[in-house]
Amino acid sequence: MKKLFLLLLITSISFAQNANRNYLSHSWKNNLLEVKTNDGTYRIKAYSNKIVETSFIPNSEVFNPNSHAVIKTQEKINATVSKTDSSISLVTNNITVVINKSPFRITYSNKGKVLLSEKNGYIKKDSTEVLQFNLDNSEVLFGGGARALGMNRRGNRLALYNRAHYGYETRAELMNFCIPLVLSSKLYAVHFDNAAIGHLDLDSKKNNTLEYETISGRKTYQVIVGDTWEDLVANYTDLTGKQPMPARWTLGNFSSRFGYHTQEEVEKTINRFNSDGIPVDAIILDLYWFGKTVQGTMGNLEWDKDQFPNPEKMIADLKAKGVKTILITEPFILTTSSKWKEAVDKKILVTDKSGKPATWDFYFGNTSVVDIFKPEGNQWFWNVYKRLINQGVGGMWGDLGEPEVFPSKAMTAAGKADEVHNIYGHNWAKLIADGYKRDFPNQRPFILMRAGYSGSQRFGMMPWSGDVSRSWGGLQSQMEIAMQMGMQGMAYMHSDLGGFAGDYFDNELYLRWLQYGVFNPIFRPHAQEDVASEVAYKDVHTKAKAKKAVELRYQLMPYNYTLAFDNNQKGTPLMRPLFFEEPTNEKLLNEKESYLWGNAFLVKPITKSGVTSTEVYFPKSNNWFDFYTGKKYNAGSTETVKVEETAIPTFVRGGSFVPMIETIQNTSKYSVDNFNLHFYFDETVKTSTGKLYNDNGETPQAFEKGQYEILNFNSNNNGKELVLKLTSTVGKNYLSSDKTVSVLIHNIKAKRILVNGQEMVFKTFNEPLQIPVEWKKGTTSEIKIEY
């Protein structure tokens, strides 16, 4: 039967590969299939049943085994190789790779479904090298990093050269994160495992062709498959690394602008948040912390003591209020900076061909850049961070890490500028993450950066979408960018809430952006200082409305922190496209505004002015309930919903558990010893589950160290009686405590209620039904409701 399938697979693919490529021989040894041809050798190995890697090594080259993206080791699987007179086949439980001898071609399938095949395969051009594949005419393509192109990126030729796009709105073909990864609606992905600059052509010529083109480097790619979208993303993040758990405060509100000029201004700002009762967890200092002027001071990387006379005291005072201090840093050392002579003397800068520091002009001045690929440069830069962390700084902002200007003439210890350009931000984040592990092993780092590469998530990078226009057009592109990056492993992609670039003043836009930010990985208003970005500096009416958004963000902290845990363990994005729910619904493949926030929430941001109603599609897997009014919407329906100025349309899946807390001033006050558990009853849902993940919010790898608890929630509904059970899983090194839980059950008309076997007597059964539960640690609490 297997031979028949392989024969059908071979004959069903009519795409010829390079006509001049001829099969010579093959070998299968140590789980590596080598296929020799007249112009080079293919190396094919299975990392797992769902990931296969293929490398082509031209006859003139030696295989380079080093990957900047991949960290996975080969699993022990039952991969087999078989041969016929016309073909060789590598077979795993999922992926089958068929190499046809004549005409030579390679085809990939998943459980009998053909995914893609090499077209001309490897092609050498005058100045570039190409890997070329066949596509079928129906598949929708995603990936390529952070872009604003529409969800379906097919038809575009995308440059792979990290570059900022200042003030972009609804279209941005090239941005700060160029990831050489393509995902298909056929539930496979192709990752091109090479860091050098190039292009990714997603069928721009309309001839069903996918091309990866590069100036140099590895001709290696991985084909990844999944049974679902979640599975596909999980497999990709198995390959390139999972995001570490962020510190809990990371999910709070940030005070940020470009920028705070003085210590007095910083302290005044936080005092204003506190006096207005607006929750805040961190304040971010832009480049004025090391210089009075924007130009001429970059690279000082020392406190300007005229403007910040006692930074240690400032940081300590803020910390006592539960507020972290985060500082901007850049890799550029200007020739006018106080660190220039030291950088030259210690030989930590990139060089020109003569070995002297390479210099060039850009907006901030005449500059060079730290060679982070050189051990001395890496250590020098880390020593800067180490000093700041010892002063009490709670997080690091890495800006301009594309690098923003990095001419081809520059040389690094790892190669020419164009060979390492796209991995500069990636390795910069690694530098900081490695330093924390080594010197501050009990802290979870916060690393805010606007440039990275495949796998940057494993260093804890918090990516943001760059200098977006402060306009409705700028807001309209943000959901697409965040969803696409979540699919590519970078699940914390977020935006400068309110918009960054320009002096456009519109409080409606500001509020809509913040309302979207509530259901966003990071809640960080930020902007140029022409218009205040901080909630605390808004007029009294706007401030009151914005404060409600911030408060809701904090009330959702238990739910959001649990999403962070799921991402850490499985790679699951926090923001998920609707087609994750319905992968065969073609209409959803282009949906770029509505999205799922975790499993429980459906969110529809408002991205235009004056909107009073909007159309929402409700996925067919469940009924949905308005988060604010409780109104029910049927599964699979499209409805026009009313839009209020106080919130964006938000809906909860029937059968969902949503753990929440009361508003706190910041996460230093966080506790789930007393929390609210909302359950959205739907008579059509027979069983459902939910959970709340909890640890101290600080210790790296707390789960792996057994320093955690998971509160598990389960529902069973037989049509007459609803039973909710609360159980817990406690790590071996975690001291759990009794819990006071207010269980709020929506959409149910109760006749009789029993809690742990004891009947509860209520004068009236209000909506939602609110049931107090004293939950002793190590026990199961049970609620029975007859309805």
Side-chain angles (χ1 to χ4, degrees), residues 86-145:
S86 59
S87 68
I88 306 104
S89 301
L90 171 63
V91 180
T92 75
N93 287 349
N94 288 78
I95 299 178
T96 297
V97 185
V98 176
I99 302 99
N100 198 65
K101 294 179 181 178
S102 181
F104 190 93
R105 60 176 175 260
I106 301 180
T107 304
Y108 300 87
S109 66
N110 179 20
K111 294 182 177 178
K113 179 184 177 183
V114 174
L115 301 177
L116 80 164
S117 61
E118 288 197 354
K119 194 168 191 173
N120 282 313
Y122 171 77
I123 308 167
K124 180 72 172 77
K125 296 186 176 181
D126 289 340
S127 59
T128 62
E129 299 172 280
V130 172
L131 295 173
Q132 190 184 77
F133 300 82
N134 293 295
L135 299 168
D136 75 34
N137 58 13
S138 65
E139 57 191 306
V140 172
L141 301 179
F142 311 93

Side-chain angles (χ1 to χ4, degrees), residues 443-544:
Q443 290 187 43
R444 298 181 191 174
F446 176 82
I447 306 171
L448 177 68
M449 287 197 170
R450 75 175 198 187
Y453 178 66
S454 314
S456 290
Q457 70 275 357
R458 68 177 180 263
F459 306 126
M461 182 189 286
M462 299 293 165
W464 94 95
S465 61
D467 296 336
V468 58
S469 168
R470 183 190 289 154
S471 65
W472 289 100
L475 173 57
Q476 286 161 20
S477 60
Q478 294 311 302
M479 287 60 71
E480 172 197 343
I481 293 169
M483 285 190 283
Q484 289 268 359
M485 287 292 279
M487 293 166 64
Q488 298 171 73
M490 304 287 285
Y492 287 86
M493 173 56 78
H494 65 287
S495 62
D496 292 341
L497 298 182
F500 176 80
D503 57 3
Y504 179 70
F505 179 79
D506 185 336
N507 280 333
E508 182 190 6
L509 169 67
Y510 177 79
L511 289 169
R512 291 305 190 201
W513 214 316
L514 261 64
Q515 290 163 3
Y516 158 63
V518 171
F519 304 96
N520 212 227
I522 303 292
F523 191 95
R524 186 182 57 84
H526 179 69
Q528 294 171 334
E529 57 190 328
D530 306 295
V531 181
S533 59
E534 304 94 336
V535 175
Y537 283 124
K538 292 298 180 181
D539 66 85
V540 63
H541 298 293
T542 305
K543 183 192 298 185

Side-chain angles (χ1 to χ4, degrees), residues 744-756:
L744 297 100
I745 305 177
H746 300 253
N747 322 310
I748 195 167
K749 293 182 179 180
K751 296 178 180 177
R752 187 167 177 251
I753 303 170
L754 290 90
V755 177
N756 297 327

Side-chain angles (χ1 to χ4, degrees), residues 593-614:
E593 288 197 347
S594 295
Y595 63 93
L596 299 168
W597 177 243
N599 191 57
F601 286 98
L602 168 64
V603 182
K604 176 68 182 288
I606 299 302
T607 62
K608 293 180 181 177
S609 177
V611 172
T612 57
S613 64
T614 189

Side-chain angles (χ1 to χ4, degrees), residues 745 748 762-770:
I745 305 177
I748 195 167
F762 293 87
K763 290 182 179 179
T764 58
F765 293 137
N766 296 322
E767 167 63 30
L769 186 63
Q770 188 166 349

